[in-house]
Amino acid sequence: TKQDVKAAGKAPKYLPSEFVSDGKIISKNLTEFNLTEDWLMSELRKKGVESVDQVFMAQIQTDGSLFIDLGQEDN
């Protein structure tokens, strides 16, 4: 373990959590992180996404960044 080797361990800022699933906002998860739908939409717009309907999955990462999967296949 980290304690055994005396390695410094930094706790993650966030635990990964899903905010959008199949184009639908998971409000309960946003609330648990003290975030709003306005914040989420702002973050999506920064990535060029205009509607939550376009998003297959959006998840907050341990560093606080937002991972967005549009679910589009590359052909």
Side-chain angles (χ1 to χ4, degrees):
T1 67
K2 289 181 182 181
Q3 291 93 356
D4 293 336
V5 296
K6 298 187 182 3
K10 183 179 176 186
K13 183 175 180 179
Y14 295 100
L15 293 175
S17 186
E18 199 169 25
F19 290 161
V20 177
S21 178
D22 291 324
K24 295 184 178 35
I25 295 174
I26 305 170
S27 298
K28 177 184 161 224
N29 291 354
L30 283 171
T31 301
E32 287 179 7
F33 285 82
N34 293 318
L35 298 171
T36 65
E37 289 186 21
D38 288 338
W39 172 86
L40 177 62
M41 292 309 299
S42 174
E43 293 298 307
L44 292 175
R45 283 188 206 101
K46 287 179 188 177
K47 305 278 185 167
V49 177
E50 291 301 319
S51 171
V52 73
D53 295 335
Q54 297 173 275
V55 180
F56 174 68
M57 194 243 334
Q59 180 183 56
I60 195 162
Q61 303 297 288
T62 57
D63 64 357
S65 65
L66 190 65
F67 170 79
I68 301 167
D69 181 354
L70 299 179
Q72 299 170 341
E73 301 266 337
D74 292 329
N75 292 328

